[in-house]
Amino acid sequence: HLLSAEPYGEGWVVDALRTAAGQALAQGAPEAAVSYLRRALAEPPAPKARIDVLVELGAAETCLPATQDFAALREALELARNPRERAEIAEQLSWALVVAAQNASARTLLESELESSDDFDPSLVERLEAHLIGTGAPDLATQGIPDRVARNFERFKRGEVRDPVMFAALAQTGAVVGLPAVDVAAIARVAVRDERLVEDWWPAYWGGVSALSWADRLDEAVVAADAGIAEAQRRGRASMFMPGSIHRAQMAFRAGELSVAEMHSQGGLELARELGPAAEVWATMWYAGTLLERDRVAEAAGLLDAVQFSDELLGLWQGAVLLVDRGRVRVALGELELGVTDLLDADRRMAAPGYQLSVLNDWVPTATATLEKLGRREEARELAHRELADAVAFGASRRHGMALSVCGLLESGAEGLAWLREAVRILEGSQARLEHARALVNLGAGLAARGEREQAREPLAQGLDLAYRCGAVAVAEQARSELVATGARPRREALSGPDSLTPAELRAARMAAEGLTNREIAQALFLSAKTVEWQLSHAYSKLGVSGRTELAGALKASRPNTGVP
């Protein structure tokens, strides 16, 4: 009724609309909240209340996919009555800008506010500093981030850090600037355990979650990611759900669960296309890598063809990751020079402000192999040894094992073989099943190259079996080829069972097996009930089951061993 009524300047109308807007946001209906608050502004509110309504409207608009200018928050910033109020509004505007991938604008705003930090209390200064570290770091033009991380890390060790946003910012950015994985994990653990982070500052929450993954704490990362996704579903907030899907996909990839990684990547990308171009670019990150491991090069190439590699994008972490993906796709297509140029350019862009690209993307194995094919062997060796030194300093077993395997492939003597064996040993005890499979295949190839064909068969067969179980078609085919070269006759297995499902079908089937109804699945995934019904129907057919009661058993079906006769 109030929405339809003429404005009369009544304070109770503004109060009622603000209350309704708060309830709408809590129920996951930001469109309704925005309409209520815009109507409240038209009433209009009293001058003292106008800023509050504008800030509430800005928070609601941040949840809408089409919002890019954030006019309400910008007006509130202009009307701020004192430096503290202005800084608090600037903090919220910076979040909104980052969600819209406008990192440079967020950085400029935060740097401007910090210039007036003498007027703020220490807790507000820490919050603004945390925002600059967490949201400014992905903008590669931001100056002095490693110094800010080092300074605040010392404060963390002295027990002086209190703000959950600072914990998350230190964990995420600290990993990329080279803090040891054990310290990154310790900070990230504190961050994600603070309920205020996922409730009030969810972009920072995902930063803490990703830091746990990069530090090889995958079990903890998955638990935290699933909690964040559940919170997004509870709120009905698609803009929060989408990055959760992307981070969850990256964790599955690092664990060697490629079908699960593809499921989350595809779900995140489908939702991102509804949220707008900025979200779609974000959702594309890491997806191409999964497709390459599945030996679906054309699909990976098509995915990246849709990306506009503008100067603005290439000035961000996201741009560097996508540049790596494009480089790897180009190499897979035989465009070696173009591919390695992309890879080295991405490294150069990240290294300039003091960041390590390998924390974000596994680019070194492709780069060194391509450099060697192009006759640039010394350049390849230099890169491999640099990566090994950085990996040892970082202290995460996945990265360490990968670096050892890369170095081992480039050395023809006994030292190279020792590195290959050490890589297998390290990765065997990790959760990185795909990299363990790759290391086994690399060891087998190294033994075969040294004339030890019979000894090569065991690691190659083990690598083939593990790659097959990961769904890593490219690694499995490499292992098969190497085995054939040794005189073995490995069996070729047909794709069946859970791995025959598309990512969307697998996602719906998993949720149905857990007891969710079609409507509940649709609400959780932001899909229509008809779409879910269609996906489950196809899943039943491929799995050979008649209904959802048989799904749990069918989804547990494992592939047979691919032993070598």
Side-chain angles (χ1 to χ4, degrees), residues 139-207:
D139 176 8
L140 300 179
T142 308
Q143 300 294 317
I145 291 295
D147 291 338
R148 289 182 185 273
V149 170
R151 182 170 62 251
N152 283 284
F153 178 57
E154 291 302 316
R155 293 182 57 243
F156 167 78
K157 290 195 293 185
R158 294 194 299 268
E160 296 174 4
V161 174
R162 295 287 185 270
D163 193 280
V165 178
M166 178 61 84
F167 287 127
L170 278 180
Q172 180 186 33
T173 310
V176 181
V177 302
L179 285 184
V182 63
D183 293 326
V184 168
I187 304 170
R189 196 173 289 120
V190 175
V192 300
R193 287 177 180 171
D194 194 315
E195 292 183 357
R196 294 174 295 169
L197 204 63
V198 71
E199 293 173 355
D200 300 325
W201 303 292
W202 58 263
Y205 181 80
W206 291 127

Side-chain angles (χ1 to χ4, degrees), residues 274-540:
E274 299 177 11
L275 294 174
E280 187 171 350
V281 169
W282 166 249
T284 304
M285 292 172 59
W286 297 298
Y287 191 5
T290 298
L291 292 173
L292 286 176
E293 297 295 350
R294 305 282 264 177
D295 203 25
R296 287 152 55 188
V297 180
E299 288 181 55
L303 190 68
L304 292 168
D305 284 344
V307 176
Q308 297 295 321
F309 284 87
S310 63
D311 291 339
E312 182 180 8
L313 176 60
L314 292 175
L316 301 173
W317 283 2
Q318 292 95 321
V321 171
L322 288 166
L323 200 56
V324 169
D325 289 342
R326 189 177 74 175
R328 293 185 63 205
V329 167
R330 284 176 162 176
V331 168
L333 292 171
E335 301 171 354
L336 303 188
E337 288 284 1
L338 288 174
V340 81
T341 297
D342 278 349
L343 295 170
L344 296 177
D345 186 26
D347 175 51
R348 176 186 60 78
R349 290 174 182 274
M350 288 290 291
Y355 304 148
Q356 295 184 15
L357 177 60
S358 291
V359 173
L360 303 178
N361 203 313
D362 305 327
W363 71 284
V364 172
T366 303
T368 53
T370 307
L371 287 169
E372 185 177 32
K373 287 179 182 177
L374 292 171
R376 297 157 64 178
R377 186 176 181 79
E378 283 307 309
E379 193 175 348
R381 292 180 74 256
E382 181 180 344
L383 173 59
H385 285 277
R386 186 194 86 186
E387 174 61 16
L388 180 57
D390 288 344
V392 170
F394 187 56
S397 57
R398 179 178 181 273
R399 186 179 176 190
H400 186 190
M402 291 175 65
L404 282 168
S405 196
V406 167
C407 287
L409 286 175
L410 293 171
E411 298 292 341
S412 58
E415 185 178 30
L417 193 59
W419 278 337
L420 291 170
R421 293 187 188 280
E422 180 66 6
V424 170
R425 186 192 67 79
I426 288 175
L427 290 166
E428 187 176 24
S430 77
Q431 292 177 280
R433 296 192 309 152
L434 173 57
E435 298 313 321
H436 182 208
R438 202 187 318 273
L440 284 165
V441 175
N442 288 345
L443 173 59
L447 288 166
R450 290 165 175 80
E452 301 179 26
R453 297 173 63 189
E454 290 190 11
Q455 294 88 333
R457 291 179 184 176
E458 182 178 354
L460 287 172
Q462 291 176 353
L464 173 60
D465 180 61
L466 186 53
Y468 194 80
R469 294 178 186 278
C470 290
V473 178
V475 177
E477 287 303 311
Q478 181 189 354
R480 189 182 307 280
S481 177
E482 292 283 355
L483 273 168
V484 170
T486 67
R489 295 182 308 228
R491 289 189 293 269
R492 186 178 296 275
E493 304 295 340
L495 186 64
S496 62
D499 286 304
S500 67
L501 302 181
T502 68
E505 292 163 357
L506 177 61
R507 179 179 56 198
R510 282 172 174 261
M511 297 178 77
E514 292 171 359
L516 276 70
T517 66
N518 288 11
R519 183 176 180 181
E520 289 170 335
I521 295 170
Q523 290 175 337
L525 299 177
F526 303 93
L527 299 172
S528 69
K530 185 176 181 180
T531 298
V532 172
E533 181 181 351
W534 180 85
Q535 291 170 351
L536 285 175
S537 175
H538 281 259
Y540 296 157

